[in-house]
């Protein structure tokens, strides 16, 4: 107890001394380091070691998040593959992939022939681009790979840059094929670069300038080009290569000229193959609901034709051309020939746009049908990477096929996995089974191509449907078809796009103009020529154009508006002109009289001049100037003060004109000047002009163009036609002797 009592004061004293020491240290610290204001604290936070570490950590986290978002955006497989429902979708994708691969094999061989390349390169183009699209594509149902239209476009390029004959001498076939492969692969790389570049800068909207009539007319003309290009294989003819405008006409004329040289065995082979394929396709159409998957007629035809050709010796005995040697295995990557870029840039851009247009059109159709979204810019990137990487591995440009896409959807395909499975089957054929088709007749491949053109050639019936529906769309279709047939595929597309845009300008240049009347007991105004119940408001004219007013149609708008009062306006202008001429004569006479008075004053004596008071001279001269100014102002007001009644002209039967500008989406400087002229011209015949139903962007553009001033104020602008009519009825014809001023109630 005593120890406790004895130790208590010592502990208390020690505690107090420790507290005092801490307080002294704190005081010393604050005395040594001054207080920091907010500026210093922010500076420390910006440059201090610990905050800098946190700043770098935050920056790295943001950069990592952005990189991850960018990766997920441009590599969609990382988004949908982890959520892939294996139990529900895998079986359907497996069957669909096998069905598409069965179609991909013969079409790849045939379309390579269409592109002027050895058939094995069609198999390469059915493997690499398809697998790349599986990683980057967003459409779950389109089948990427060889396509007839793309192949014939590539064929026109390869035949022009690597022709079969040069200076009337036949080029070695091996050398020619190697050069064509180099041209086609370089073209594919350039097409891929265009598509990736356009996709990264979000130029996916570019395809919107390709309207449906244009695309249908273009693909129909391309189908005709494909059909003509296969005639040499059907008849077994050796034709000279033609390129450029009218090449199709030259090819048809040469086929007709060499038709007697046809090989009967080749014609029979192509005819039998074509008939069998047509029968199988008809059976597939009729038994579509009963069959779990379509009958693989093309694959069966390949196998049967190869076996018959090998067993009967069609090449050696009957002289039927066959595919020839197909090398097994994959080829190593090859860098593109950059020296060819300048020669291929125009064709590459055309092929890039056409390929993307076909792919995105089909992709959006399937996306709407199955309820998902297709990103057009990402599709452009995916298709571009497919062509870019495929070109490095000696593929030619690809797009998607409508027939294969329909098969992929109908056989249970649910995702891009079906495309990956089909590409793996093609890989197996390239590595192990490709060499088995060396005895396949080329006439059979030509028959496969021609039969598959059936859907596109049916589009010739669009002429009748467009004739009934829309003559302007029919005109676009016909011009596109004719330009593509006559000028070839690249020039034909350019001409058709330019023509369709010019047609849009022409259609907006001649819109429908109408006078509106009020439907009784409503605030609705309709064209009096189309609606019998709509009646014109007495004393008020409401004028509307069906298109926006801009530089191409501003004059037509003004002419249509002034057509009814053209004579009155013309007479008014003539009278104003006469009055101005009369006024000039009076001014000349006044000037001459002033000159005479000055000469008289000069001849007066110097003494009289000195005797006049200087101030009086100033006052008198000031009075004369004021009188002259007043007379000038009265003279200038004379034309404006003269009324139609004073001039002996009849007054118009309306006192207000209302311009319904609801159709305007923008205004340019020509439109602004036209509207101002309309205000001034109609005020000359004592008619006040109002504007109604302008959208907010249009009003902003009017303000930016300094349209509103002292004579044309915003009081002439109304939210609706009915508001303008109500105001005009409450403010009839303005007083002619005074300047026109309009105030809103």
């Amino acid at each position: 107890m005593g120890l406790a009592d004895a130790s208590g004061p010592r502990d208390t004293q020690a505690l107090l001394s420790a507290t005092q020491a801490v307080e002294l240290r704190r005081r010393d610290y604050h005395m040594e380091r001054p207080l920091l204001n907010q500026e210093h604290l922010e500076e420390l936070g910006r440059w201090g070691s610990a905050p800098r570490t946190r700043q770098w950590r935050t920056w790295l986290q943001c950069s990592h998040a952005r990189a991850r978002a960018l990766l997920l955006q441009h590599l969609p497989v990382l988004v949908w593959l982890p959520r892939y429902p294996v139990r529900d979708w895998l079986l359907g994708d497996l069957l669909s992939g096998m069905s598409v691969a069965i179609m991909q094999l013969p079409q790849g061989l045939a379309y390579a022939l269409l592109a002027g390349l050895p058939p094995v390169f069609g198999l390469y183009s059915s493997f690499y681009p398809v697998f790349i699209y599986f990683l980057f594509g967003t459409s779950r149902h389109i089948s990427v790979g060889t396509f007839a239209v793309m192949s014939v476009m590539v064929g026109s390029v390869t035949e022009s840059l690597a022709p079969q004959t040069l200076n009337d001498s036949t080029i070695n076939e091996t050398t020619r094929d190697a050069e064509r492969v180099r041209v086609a692969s370089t073209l594919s790389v350039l097409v891929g670069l265009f598509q990736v570049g356009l996709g990264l800068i979000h130029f996916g909207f570019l395809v919107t300038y390709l309207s449906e009539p244009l695309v249908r007319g273009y693909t129909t003309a391309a189908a005709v080009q494909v059909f003509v290009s296969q005639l040499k294989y059907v008849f077994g003819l050796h034709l000279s290569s033609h390129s450029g405008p009218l090449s199709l006409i030259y090819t048809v004329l040469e086929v007709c000229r060499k038709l007697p040289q046809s090989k009967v065995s080749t014609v029979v082979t192509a005819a039998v193959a074509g008939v069998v394929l047509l029968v199988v396709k008809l059976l597939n159409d009729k038994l579509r609901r009963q069959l779990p998957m379509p009958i693989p007629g093309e694959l069966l035809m390949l196998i049967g034709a190869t076996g018959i050709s090998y067993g009967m010796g069609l090449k050696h005995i009957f002289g039927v051309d066959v595919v020839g040697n197909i090398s097994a295995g994959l080829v190593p990557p090859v860098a593109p020939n950059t020296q060819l870029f300048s020669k291929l840039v125009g064709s590459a851009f055309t092929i890039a746009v056409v390929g993307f247009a076909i792919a995105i059109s089909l992709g959006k159709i399937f996306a709407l049908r199955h309820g998902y979204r297709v990103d057009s810019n990402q599709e452009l990137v995916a298709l571009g990477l497919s062509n870019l990487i495929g070109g490095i591995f000696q593929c030619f440009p690809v797009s998607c096929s409508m027939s294969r896409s329909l098969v992929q959807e109908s056989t249970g395909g649910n995702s891009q996995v079906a495309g990956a499975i089909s590409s793996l089957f093609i890989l197996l054929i390239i590595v192990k089974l490709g060499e088995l088709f060396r005895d396949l007749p080329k006439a059979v491949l030509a028959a496969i191509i021609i039969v598959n053109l059936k859907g596109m050639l049916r589009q010739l019936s669009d002429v009748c449907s467009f004739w009934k529906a829309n003559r302007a769309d029919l005109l676009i279709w016909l011009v596109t078809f004719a330009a593509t047939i006559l000028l070839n595929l690249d020039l034909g597309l350019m001409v058709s796009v330019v023509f369709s845009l010019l047609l849009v300008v022409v259609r907006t240049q001649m819109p429908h103009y109408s006078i509106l009347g009020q439907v009784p007991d409503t605030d609705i105004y309709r064209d009096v020529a189309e609606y019998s119940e709509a009646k014109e408001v007495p004393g008020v004219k409401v004028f509307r154009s069906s298109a926006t007013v801009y530089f191409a149609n501003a004059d037509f708008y003004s002419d249509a508006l002034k057509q009814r009062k053209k004579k009155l306006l013309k007479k008014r202008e003539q009278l104003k002109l006469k009055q101005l001429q009369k006024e000039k004569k009076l001014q000349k006479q006044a000037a001459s009289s002033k000159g005479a008075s000055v000469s008289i004053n000069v001849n007066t004596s110097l003494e009289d001049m000195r005797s006049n008071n200087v101030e009086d001279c100033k006052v008198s001269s000031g009075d004369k100037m004021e009188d002259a100014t007043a007379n000038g102002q009265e003279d200038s007001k004379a034309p404006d003060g003269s009324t139609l009644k004073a001039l002996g002209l009849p007054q118009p039967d309306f006192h207000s004109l209302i311009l319904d500008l609801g159709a305007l989406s923008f205004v340019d400087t020509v439109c602004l000047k036209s509207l101002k002229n309309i205000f001034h011209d109609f005020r000359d015949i004592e008619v006040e002009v109002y504007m109604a139903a302008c959208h907010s962007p249009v009003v902003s553009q009017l303000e930016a163009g300094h349209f509103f001033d002292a004579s044309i104020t915003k009081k002439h602008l109304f939210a609706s036609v009915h508001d303008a009519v109500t105001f005009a009825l409450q403010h009839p014809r303005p007083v002619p002797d005074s300047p026109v001023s309009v105030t809103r109630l």
Side-chain angles (χ1 to χ4, degrees):
M1 189 72 180
L3 287 173
D5 294 339
S7 62
R10 284 198 301 269
D11 293 341
T12 304
Q13 188 177 2
L15 183 61
L16 288 173
S17 60
T19 304
Q20 290 174 357
V22 170
E23 184 67 23
L24 287 173
R25 289 196 195 100
R26 185 180 300 169
R27 290 177 183 175
D28 294 341
Y29 173 80
H30 286 296
M31 289 177 66
E32 291 173 3
R33 293 190 57 173
L35 292 174
L36 299 176
N37 57 16
Q38 184 65 25
E39 221 175 2
H40 294 152
L41 290 174
E42 290 178 358
E43 197 68 26
L44 284 174
R46 191 177 295 115
W47 300 106
S49 58
R52 186 188 301 176
T53 305
R54 285 196 299 271
Q55 185 178 7
W56 276 103
R57 190 180 304 162
T58 305
W59 183 83
L60 288 174
Q61 289 175 354
C62 293
S63 301
H64 177 71
R66 291 175 185 173
R68 184 175 180 275
L70 193 64
L71 182 64
L72 293 177
Q73 179 184 357
H74 293 295
L75 196 60
V77 68
L78 299 178
V79 177
W80 62 264
L81 191 59
R83 308 172 187 172
Y84 181 77
V86 179
R87 294 182 180 179
D88 298 331
W89 286 7
L90 183 59
L91 181 60
D93 284 338
L94 184 61
L95 294 175
S96 177
M98 293 176 61
S99 303
V100 171
I102 289 171
M103 292 184 66
Q104 191 88 272
L105 171 62
Q107 289 184 4
L109 296 172
Y111 292 156
L113 204 64
L114 187 59
L117 305 174
V120 68
F121 291 94
L123 297 181
Y124 298 153
S125 301
S126 301
F127 166 64
Y128 289 107
V130 177
F131 193 80
I132 296 299
Y133 184 83
F134 158 75
L135 300 175
F136 295 94
T138 59
S139 177
R140 303 203 309 246
H141 293 91
I142 65 172
S143 175
V144 173
T146 56
F147 182 51
V149 175
M150 301 287 288
S151 299
V152 73
M153 295 178 76
V154 175
S156 64
V157 177
T158 56
E159 288 184 4
S160 63
L161 294 181
Q164 190 170 357
T165 58
L166 186 63
N167 297 329
D168 296 332
S169 59
T170 304
I171 301 176
N172 181 269
E173 187 174 350
T174 304
T175 305
R176 181 205 66 188
D177 289 345
E179 182 62 25
R180 287 185 175 181
V181 169
R182 186 158 44 250
V183 170
S185 60
T186 303
L187 179 64
S188 181
V189 170
L190 197 54
V191 168
L193 289 175
F194 272 123
Q195 290 176 334
V196 171
L198 292 174
L200 291 177
I201 61 177
H202 289 197
F203 255 64
F205 69 90
L206 191 66
V207 75
T208 57
Y209 294 104
L210 304 180
S211 62
E212 183 182 359
L214 188 149
V215 173
R216 293 181 72 88
Y218 186 79
T219 52
T220 306
V224 175
Q225 294 255 17
V226 172
F227 177 81
V228 172
S229 68
Q230 296 305 296
L231 293 178
K232 62 181 180 180
Y233 299 112
V234 171
F235 295 104
L237 302 175
H238 294 281
L239 305 178
S240 56
S241 58
H242 301 283
S243 60
L246 301 180
S247 59
L248 184 71
I249 308 299
Y250 296 145
T251 303
V252 172
L253 293 176
E254 188 176 2
V255 169
C256 295
R257 189 171 62 250
K258 293 185 176 181
L259 203 57
Q261 305 175 11
S262 302
K263 297 179 181 178
V264 178
S265 56
T266 304
V267 175
V268 171
T269 302
V272 171
V275 170
V276 172
L277 286 174
L278 284 175
V279 171
V280 172
K281 286 187 176 293
L282 289 174
L283 288 175
N284 284 331
D285 292 338
K286 289 186 176 181
L287 304 177
R288 181 173 49 190
R289 297 181 179 179
Q290 288 79 11
L291 296 174
M293 60 180 295
I295 300 172
E298 296 171 344
L299 180 62
L300 295 177
M301 177 59 62
L302 285 185
I303 297 172
T306 303
I308 293 172
S309 175
Y310 177 77
M312 297 181 62
L314 294 182
K315 179 182 179 181
H316 302 289
I317 300 175
F318 299 99
V320 177
D321 291 336
V322 296
V323 170
N325 185 35
I326 297 179
S327 57
L330 299 173
V331 293
V334 177
N337 187 359
T338 56
Q339 296 178 353
L340 294 173
F341 278 5
S342 59
K343 300 178 181 178
L344 298 174
V345 61
S347 300
F349 184 78
T350 304
I351 293 173
V353 173
V354 172
F356 173 63
I358 295 169
I360 196 63
S361 300
L362 285 176
K364 287 185 176 180
I365 290 173
F366 290 118
L368 289 174
R369 188 179 300 175
H370 294 275
Y372 62 92
R373 181 178 173 274
V374 172
D375 186 354
S376 59
N377 294 310
Q378 180 58 30
E379 283 295 295
L380 198 51
V381 172
L383 204 60
L385 289 174
S386 299
N387 285 315
L388 178 61
I389 298 175
I392 296 174
F393 288 93
Q394 300 189 21
C395 302
F396 56 88
V398 299
S399 183
C400 70
S401 168
M402 182 180 297
S403 59
R404 292 198 308 269
S405 299
L406 291 173
V407 168
Q408 180 170 327
E409 182 203 26
S410 61
T411 53
N414 297 298
S415 68
Q416 296 92 320
V417 173
I421 292 173
S422 68
S423 67
L424 293 178
F425 272 98
I426 296 297
L427 176 62
L428 179 64
I429 293 170
I430 292 172
V431 174
K432 295 294 182 183
L433 306 176
E435 57 186 7
L436 299 178
F437 296 101
R438 66 180 65 184
D439 291 316
L440 175 65
K442 290 183 178 180
V444 174
L445 295 177
I448 292 173
I449 292 173
I450 292 173
V451 171
N452 282 318
L453 294 176
K454 181 181 66 173
M456 285 191 287
L457 291 175
R458 278 181 179 174
Q459 294 177 163
L460 289 169
S461 62
D462 289 345
V463 176
C464 299
S465 60
F466 283 132
W467 175 265
K468 297 176 182 178
N470 194 312
R471 305 287 174 84
D473 287 344
L474 174 62
L475 190 60
I476 293 174
W477 193 98
L478 291 175
V479 170
T480 302
F481 182 83
T484 306
I485 291 291
L486 297 176
L487 302 178
N488 218 337
L489 293 167
D490 48 358
L491 292 177
L493 181 64
M494 293 174 60
V495 170
S496 57
V497 170
V498 171
F499 177 79
S500 62
L501 294 178
L502 287 177
L503 187 60
V504 171
V505 174
V506 171
R507 293 175 74 178
T508 58
Q509 196 172 4
M510 295 181 292
H512 175 68
Y513 301 111
S514 56
I515 299 295
L516 303 185
Q518 184 181 19
V519 178
D521 301 327
T522 65
D523 58 353
I524 299 173
Y525 293 81
R526 292 291 182 266
D527 188 358
V528 294
E530 297 179 0
Y531 294 86
S532 58
E533 294 185 2
K535 304 297 181 183
E536 289 190 49
V537 180
V540 178
K541 290 286 184 184
V542 183
F543 184 78
R544 182 177 66 186
S545 170
S546 61
T548 189
V549 182
Y550 66 113
F551 68 92
N553 63 0
D555 291 337
F556 294 97
Y557 182 83
S558 300
D559 293 341
L561 186 59
K562 301 173 186 176
Q563 189 172 8
R564 292 191 176 183
K565 299 301 173 186
K566 194 171 184 179
K567 292 182 179 179
L568 184 59
L569 288 168
K570 191 174 182 180
K571 287 183 180 180
R572 173 68 172 171
E573 290 295 329
Q574 290 176 353
L575 289 172
K576 284 181 69 177
L577 183 61
K578 289 180 181 179
Q579 197 161 3
L580 288 173
Q581 291 175 353
K582 188 177 180 180
E583 183 184 352
K584 288 181 179 179
K585 289 182 180 178
L586 293 174
Q587 289 178 354
K588 287 182 180 178
Q589 292 176 0
S592 61
S593 63
K594 287 180 181 179
S597 63
V598 170
S599 62
I600 292 171
N601 291 332
V602 170
N603 293 327
T604 55
S605 62
L606 184 61
E607 295 177 357
D608 295 336
M609 293 285 290
R610 289 175 179 176
S611 64
N612 291 330
N613 194 329
V614 177
E615 296 294 331
D616 294 338
C617 289
K618 289 182 179 180
V619 171
S620 62
S621 62
D623 294 338
K624 288 179 182 179
M625 290 182 66
E626 288 178 1
D627 293 339
T629 304
N631 292 331
Q633 289 178 355
E634 289 177 0
D635 292 339
S636 64
K637 286 182 180 180
D640 296 333
S642 59
T643 63
L644 293 175
K645 188 175 181 181
L647 295 172
L649 296 176
Q651 290 183 328
D653 56 353
F654 59 97
H655 56 77
S656 299
L657 172 65
I658 297 173
L659 304 178
D660 183 2
L661 303 181
L664 264 66
S665 57
F666 66 93
V667 290
D668 56 8
T669 55
V670 179
C671 177
L672 293 175
K673 291 180 181 178
S674 297
L675 290 176
K676 282 192 173 184
N677 290 334
I678 289 169
F679 269 84
H680 297 153
D681 291 342
F682 276 90
R683 282 175 175 175
D684 284 342
I685 59 171
E686 301 173 11
V687 174
E688 187 58 32
V689 183
Y690 304 100
M691 299 185 298
C694 283
H695 301 292
S696 298
V698 175
V699 177
S700 300
Q701 292 173 10
L702 291 173
E703 293 174 344
H706 305 288
F707 176 77
F708 300 105
D709 52 21
S711 61
I712 306 175
T713 65
K714 285 189 177 180
K715 294 178 181 180
H716 296 79
L717 192 61
F718 292 86
S720 67
V721 173
H722 186 67
D723 293 338
V725 171
T726 304
F727 182 83
L729 291 175
Q730 296 174 355
H731 296 75
R733 194 182 308 278
V735 180
D737 294 333
S738 60
V740 178
S741 61
V742 180
T743 55
R744 191 188 296 268
L745 286 177

